PDB file of all heavy atoms in Angstrom:
ATOM      1  N   VAL A 225     132.840 148.535 185.148  1.00 84.00           N
ATOM      2  CA  VAL A 225     132.870 147.708 183.934  1.00 84.00           C
ATOM      3  C   VAL A 225     131.680 146.747 183.913  1.00 84.00           C
ATOM      4  O   VAL A 225     131.016 146.560 182.877  1.00 84.00           O
ATOM      5  CB  VAL A 225     134.199 146.936 183.859  1.00 84.00           C
ATOM      6  CG1 VAL A 225     134.197 145.969 182.674  1.00 84.00           C
ATOM      7  CG2 VAL A 225     135.369 147.905 183.742  1.00 84.00           C
ATOM      8  N   ILE A 226     131.379 146.132 185.060  1.00 89.00           N
ATOM      9  CA  ILE A 226     130.231 145.223 185.139  1.00 89.00           C
ATOM     10  C   ILE A 226     128.933 145.987 184.871  1.00 89.00           C
ATOM     11  O   ILE A 226     128.046 145.506 184.148  1.00 89.00           O
ATOM     12  CB  ILE A 226     130.190 144.532 186.507  1.00 89.00           C
ATOM     13  CG1 ILE A 226     131.454 143.686 186.712  1.00 89.00           C
ATOM     14  CG2 ILE A 226     128.947 143.662 186.641  1.00 89.00           C
ATOM     15  CD1 ILE A 226     131.568 143.085 188.093  1.00 89.00           C
ATOM     16  N   ALA A 227     128.829 147.196 185.445  1.00 88.00           N
ATOM     17  CA  ALA A 227     127.627 148.003 185.228  1.00 88.00           C
ATOM     18  C   ALA A 227     127.494 148.374 183.755  1.00 88.00           C
ATOM     19  O   ALA A 227     126.378 148.386 183.206  1.00 88.00           O
ATOM     20  CB  ALA A 227     127.683 149.264 186.090  1.00 88.00           C
ATOM     21  N   GLY A 228     128.621 148.680 183.100  1.00 88.00           N
ATOM     22  CA  GLY A 228     128.555 148.966 181.670  1.00 88.00           C
ATOM     23  C   GLY A 228     128.060 147.775 180.879  1.00 88.00           C
ATOM     24  O   GLY A 228     127.286 147.926 179.916  1.00 88.00           O
ATOM     25  N   GLY A 229     128.481 146.550 181.267  1.00 90.00           N
ATOM     26  CA  GLY A 229     127.970 145.354 180.597  1.00 90.00           C
ATOM     27  C   GLY A 229     126.476 145.175 180.809  1.00 90.00           C
ATOM     28  O   GLY A 229     125.726 144.860 179.867  1.00 90.00           O
ATOM     29  N   PHE A 230     126.004 145.367 182.045  1.00 90.00           N
ATOM     30  CA  PHE A 230     124.564 145.274 182.310  1.00 90.00           C
ATOM     31  C   PHE A 230     123.779 146.317 181.504  1.00 90.00           C
ATOM     32  O   PHE A 230     122.704 146.025 180.959  1.00 90.00           O
ATOM     33  CB  PHE A 230     124.289 145.457 183.800  1.00 90.00           C
ATOM     34  CG  PHE A 230     124.601 144.247 184.627  1.00 90.00           C
ATOM     35  CD1 PHE A 230     125.156 144.369 185.896  1.00 90.00           C
ATOM     36  CD2 PHE A 230     124.344 142.972 184.147  1.00 90.00           C
ATOM     37  CE1 PHE A 230     125.455 143.259 186.660  1.00 90.00           C
ATOM     38  CE2 PHE A 230     124.641 141.847 184.913  1.00 90.00           C
ATOM     39  CZ  PHE A 230     125.196 141.989 186.161  1.00 90.00           C
ATOM     40  N   ALA A 231     124.301 147.539 181.448  1.00 90.00           N
ATOM     41  CA  ALA A 231     123.611 148.579 180.697  1.00 90.00           C
ATOM     42  C   ALA A 231     123.544 148.239 179.220  1.00 90.00           C
ATOM     43  O   ALA A 231     122.516 148.462 178.557  1.00 90.00           O
ATOM     44  CB  ALA A 231     124.333 149.920 180.905  1.00 90.00           C
ATOM     45  N   LEU A 232     124.634 147.696 178.667  1.00 92.00           N
ATOM     46  CA  LEU A 232     124.629 147.304 177.254  1.00 92.00           C
ATOM     47  C   LEU A 232     123.607 146.202 177.002  1.00 92.00           C
ATOM     48  O   LEU A 232     122.864 146.234 176.003  1.00 92.00           O
ATOM     49  CB  LEU A 232     126.033 146.848 176.851  1.00 92.00           C
ATOM     50  CG  LEU A 232     126.213 146.419 175.391  1.00 92.00           C
ATOM     51  CD1 LEU A 232     125.901 147.578 174.462  1.00 92.00           C
ATOM     52  CD2 LEU A 232     127.631 145.909 175.157  1.00 92.00           C
ATOM     53  N   VAL A 233     123.556 145.217 177.910  1.00 92.00           N
ATOM     54  CA  VAL A 233     122.565 144.155 177.772  1.00 92.00           C
ATOM     55  C   VAL A 233     121.148 144.732 177.827  1.00 92.00           C
ATOM     56  O   VAL A 233     120.261 144.354 177.036  1.00 92.00           O
ATOM     57  CB  VAL A 233     122.759 143.096 178.869  1.00 92.00           C
ATOM     58  CG1 VAL A 233     121.610 142.085 178.857  1.00 92.00           C
ATOM     59  CG2 VAL A 233     124.085 142.375 178.669  1.00 92.00           C
ATOM     60  N   GLY A 234     120.923 145.678 178.751  1.00 90.00           N
ATOM     61  CA  GLY A 234     119.599 146.285 178.850  1.00 90.00           C
ATOM     62  C   GLY A 234     119.197 147.025 177.582  1.00 90.00           C
ATOM     63  O   GLY A 234     118.050 146.915 177.127  1.00 90.00           O
ATOM     64  N   LEU A 235     120.128 147.763 176.993  1.00 91.00           N
ATOM     65  CA  LEU A 235     119.817 148.477 175.758  1.00 91.00           C
ATOM     66  C   LEU A 235     119.496 147.506 174.623  1.00 91.00           C
ATOM     67  O   LEU A 235     118.555 147.712 173.858  1.00 91.00           O
ATOM     68  CB  LEU A 235     120.986 149.382 175.375  1.00 91.00           C
ATOM     69  CG  LEU A 235     121.280 150.546 176.332  1.00 91.00           C
ATOM     70  CD1 LEU A 235     122.519 151.301 175.874  1.00 91.00           C
ATOM     71  CD2 LEU A 235     120.093 151.485 176.429  1.00 91.00           C
ATOM     72  N   VAL A 236     120.292 146.436 174.517  1.00 92.00           N
ATOM     73  CA  VAL A 236     120.048 145.459 173.453  1.00 92.00           C
ATOM     74  C   VAL A 236     118.707 144.768 173.657  1.00 92.00           C
ATOM     75  O   VAL A 236     117.920 144.596 172.710  1.00 92.00           O
ATOM     76  CB  VAL A 236     121.206 144.442 173.410  1.00 92.00           C
ATOM     77  CG1 VAL A 236     120.881 143.315 172.438  1.00 92.00           C
ATOM     78  CG2 VAL A 236     122.499 145.127 173.006  1.00 92.00           C
ATOM     79  N   VAL A 237     118.416 144.359 174.892  1.00 89.00           N
ATOM     80  CA  VAL A 237     117.140 143.700 175.179  1.00 89.00           C
ATOM     81  C   VAL A 237     115.973 144.640 174.886  1.00 89.00           C
ATOM     82  O   VAL A 237     114.951 144.233 174.309  1.00 89.00           O
ATOM     83  CB  VAL A 237     117.114 143.225 176.647  1.00 89.00           C
ATOM     84  CG1 VAL A 237     115.710 142.761 177.038  1.00 89.00           C
ATOM     85  CG2 VAL A 237     118.105 142.099 176.845  1.00 89.00           C
ATOM     86  N   GLY A 238     116.122 145.902 175.257  1.00 88.00           N
ATOM     87  CA  GLY A 238     115.053 146.855 174.972  1.00 88.00           C
ATOM     88  C   GLY A 238     114.823 147.048 173.490  1.00 88.00           C
ATOM     89  O   GLY A 238     113.672 147.108 173.021  1.00 88.00           O
ATOM     90  N   VAL A 239     115.900 147.134 172.716  1.00 89.00           N
ATOM     91  CA  VAL A 239     115.758 147.297 171.264  1.00 89.00           C
ATOM     92  C   VAL A 239     115.105 146.065 170.648  1.00 89.00           C
ATOM     93  O   VAL A 239     114.240 146.165 169.770  1.00 89.00           O
ATOM     94  CB  VAL A 239     117.133 147.574 170.632  1.00 89.00           C
ATOM     95  CG1 VAL A 239     117.050 147.514 169.116  1.00 89.00           C
ATOM     96  CG2 VAL A 239     117.650 148.932 171.069  1.00 89.00           C
ATOM     97  N   ILE A 240     115.511 144.871 171.111  1.00 90.00           N
ATOM     98  CA  ILE A 240     114.914 143.641 170.573  1.00 90.00           C
ATOM     99  C   ILE A 240     113.416 143.588 170.874  1.00 90.00           C
ATOM    100  O   ILE A 240     112.611 143.168 170.028  1.00 90.00           O
ATOM    101  CB  ILE A 240     115.636 142.410 171.162  1.00 90.00           C
ATOM    102  CG1 ILE A 240     117.082 142.359 170.654  1.00 90.00           C
ATOM    103  CG2 ILE A 240     114.901 141.130 170.806  1.00 90.00           C
ATOM    104  CD1 ILE A 240     117.906 141.261 171.283  1.00 90.00           C
ATOM    105  N   SER A 241     113.017 144.015 172.069  1.00 86.00           N
ATOM    106  CA  SER A 241     111.594 143.984 172.432  1.00 86.00           C
ATOM    107  C   SER A 241     110.783 145.037 171.678  1.00 86.00           C
ATOM    108  O   SER A 241     109.618 144.810 171.349  1.00 86.00           O
ATOM    109  CB  SER A 241     111.438 144.186 173.933  1.00 86.00           C
ATOM    110  OG  SER A 241     112.122 143.179 174.650  1.00 86.00           O
ATOM    111  N   ALA A 242     111.394 146.195 171.428  1.00 86.00           N
ATOM    112  CA  ALA A 242     110.644 147.277 170.792  1.00 86.00           C
ATOM    113  C   ALA A 242     110.635 147.190 169.274  1.00 86.00           C
ATOM    114  O   ALA A 242     109.760 147.783 168.627  1.00 86.00           O
ATOM    115  CB  ALA A 242     111.234 148.626 171.217  1.00 86.00           C
ATOM    116  N   SER A 243     111.579 146.454 168.691  1.00 86.00           N
ATOM    117  CA  SER A 243     111.669 146.405 167.217  1.00 86.00           C
ATOM    118  C   SER A 243     110.409 145.865 166.560  1.00 86.00           C
ATOM    119  O   SER A 243     109.934 146.437 165.568  1.00 86.00           O
ATOM    120  CB  SER A 243     112.889 145.582 166.805  1.00 86.00           C
ATOM    121  OG  SER A 243     114.076 146.189 167.242  1.00 86.00           O
ATOM    122  N   PRO A 244     109.798 144.757 167.052  1.00 83.00           N
ATOM    123  CA  PRO A 244     108.576 144.277 166.377  1.00 83.00           C
ATOM    124  C   PRO A 244     107.415 145.257 166.436  1.00 83.00           C
ATOM    125  O   PRO A 244     106.494 145.179 165.612  1.00 83.00           O
ATOM    126  CB  PRO A 244     108.242 142.981 167.139  1.00 83.00           C
ATOM    127  CG  PRO A 244     109.521 142.562 167.774  1.00 83.00           C
ATOM    128  CD  PRO A 244     110.223 143.834 168.106  1.00 83.00           C
ATOM    129  N   LEU A 245     107.418 146.164 167.406  1.00 81.00           N
ATOM    130  CA  LEU A 245     106.303 147.107 167.557  1.00 81.00           C
ATOM    131  C   LEU A 245     106.542 148.422 166.835  1.00 81.00           C
ATOM    132  O   LEU A 245     105.671 149.294 166.870  1.00 81.00           O
ATOM    133  CB  LEU A 245     106.071 147.395 169.044  1.00 81.00           C
ATOM    134  CG  LEU A 245     105.773 146.180 169.933  1.00 81.00           C
ATOM    135  CD1 LEU A 245     105.685 146.604 171.387  1.00 81.00           C
ATOM    136  CD2 LEU A 245     104.480 145.503 169.491  1.00 81.00           C
ATOM    137  N   ALA A 246     107.715 148.587 166.239  1.00 75.00           N
ATOM    138  CA  ALA A 246     108.064 149.883 165.648  1.00 75.00           C
ATOM    139  C   ALA A 246     107.102 150.294 164.554  1.00 75.00           C
ATOM    140  O   ALA A 246     106.710 151.451 164.458  1.00 75.00           O
ATOM    141  CB  ALA A 246     109.497 149.839 165.102  1.00 75.00           C
ATOM    142  N   GLY A 247     106.664 149.375 163.723  1.00 72.00           N
ATOM    143  CA  GLY A 247     105.765 149.738 162.630  1.00 72.00           C
ATOM    144  C   GLY A 247     104.312 149.483 162.928  1.00 72.00           C
ATOM    145  O   GLY A 247     103.439 150.106 162.331  1.00 72.00           O
ATOM    146  N   ALA A 248     104.029 148.552 163.852  1.00 76.00           N
ATOM    147  CA  ALA A 248     102.643 148.176 164.101  1.00 76.00           C
ATOM    148  C   ALA A 248     101.983 148.976 165.209  1.00 76.00           C
ATOM    149  O   ALA A 248     100.757 149.100 165.243  1.00 76.00           O
ATOM    150  CB  ALA A 248     102.569 146.685 164.452  1.00 76.00           C
ATOM    151  N   ALA A 249     102.727 149.513 166.135  1.00 75.00           N
ATOM    152  CA  ALA A 249     102.156 150.229 167.271  1.00 75.00           C
ATOM    153  C   ALA A 249     102.596 151.693 167.241  1.00 75.00           C
ATOM    154  O   ALA A 249     103.428 152.105 166.421  1.00 75.00           O
ATOM    155  CB  ALA A 249     102.577 149.574 168.587  1.00 75.00           C
ATOM    156  N   SER A 250     102.038 152.463 168.160  1.00 82.00           N
ATOM    157  CA  SER A 250     102.383 153.874 168.245  1.00 82.00           C
ATOM    158  C   SER A 250     103.772 154.052 168.833  1.00 82.00           C
ATOM    159  O   SER A 250     104.364 153.120 169.389  1.00 82.00           O
ATOM    160  CB  SER A 250     101.356 154.615 169.096  1.00 82.00           C
ATOM    161  OG  SER A 250     101.368 154.119 170.424  1.00 82.00           O
ATOM    162  N   ALA A 251     104.271 155.281 168.705  1.00 83.00           N
ATOM    163  CA  ALA A 251     105.609 155.569 169.232  1.00 83.00           C
ATOM    164  C   ALA A 251     105.645 155.422 170.742  1.00 83.00           C
ATOM    165  O   ALA A 251     106.644 154.953 171.307  1.00 83.00           O
ATOM    166  CB  ALA A 251     106.031 156.983 168.825  1.00 83.00           C
ATOM    167  N   LEU A 252     104.558 155.791 171.444  1.00 85.00           N
ATOM    168  CA  LEU A 252     104.510 155.672 172.895  1.00 85.00           C
ATOM    169  C   LEU A 252     104.611 154.214 173.333  1.00 85.00           C
ATOM    170  O   LEU A 252     105.364 153.874 174.255  1.00 85.00           O
ATOM    171  CB  LEU A 252     103.221 156.294 173.427  1.00 85.00           C
ATOM    172  CG  LEU A 252     102.990 156.197 174.942  1.00 85.00           C
ATOM    173  CD1 LEU A 252     104.104 156.921 175.689  1.00 85.00           C
ATOM    174  CD2 LEU A 252     101.624 156.754 175.322  1.00 85.00           C
ATOM    175  N   VAL A 253     103.869 153.333 172.662  1.00 85.00           N
ATOM    176  CA  VAL A 253     103.904 151.916 173.015  1.00 85.00           C
ATOM    177  C   VAL A 253     105.276 151.323 172.734  1.00 85.00           C
ATOM    178  O   VAL A 253     105.801 150.514 173.508  1.00 85.00           O
ATOM    179  CB  VAL A 253     102.810 151.155 172.240  1.00 85.00           C
ATOM    180  CG1 VAL A 253     102.906 149.653 172.502  1.00 85.00           C
ATOM    181  CG2 VAL A 253     101.429 151.656 172.649  1.00 85.00           C
ATOM    182  N   THR A 254     105.903 151.748 171.637  1.00 87.00           N
ATOM    183  CA  THR A 254     107.248 151.252 171.311  1.00 87.00           C
ATOM    184  C   THR A 254     108.249 151.658 172.374  1.00 87.00           C
ATOM    185  O   THR A 254     109.087 150.851 172.817  1.00 87.00           O
ATOM    186  CB  THR A 254     107.679 151.787 169.944  1.00 87.00           C
ATOM    187  OG1 THR A 254     106.707 151.420 168.957  1.00 87.00           O
ATOM    188  CG2 THR A 254     109.036 151.220 169.548  1.00 87.00           C
TER     189      THR A 254
END
Side-chain angles (χ1 to χ4, degrees):
V225 175
I226 298 174
F230 283 142
L232 181 61
V233 172
L235 294 176
V236 172
V237 170
V239 170
I240 293 174
S241 301
S243 297
L245 302 175
S250 63
L252 177 61
V253 175
T254 304

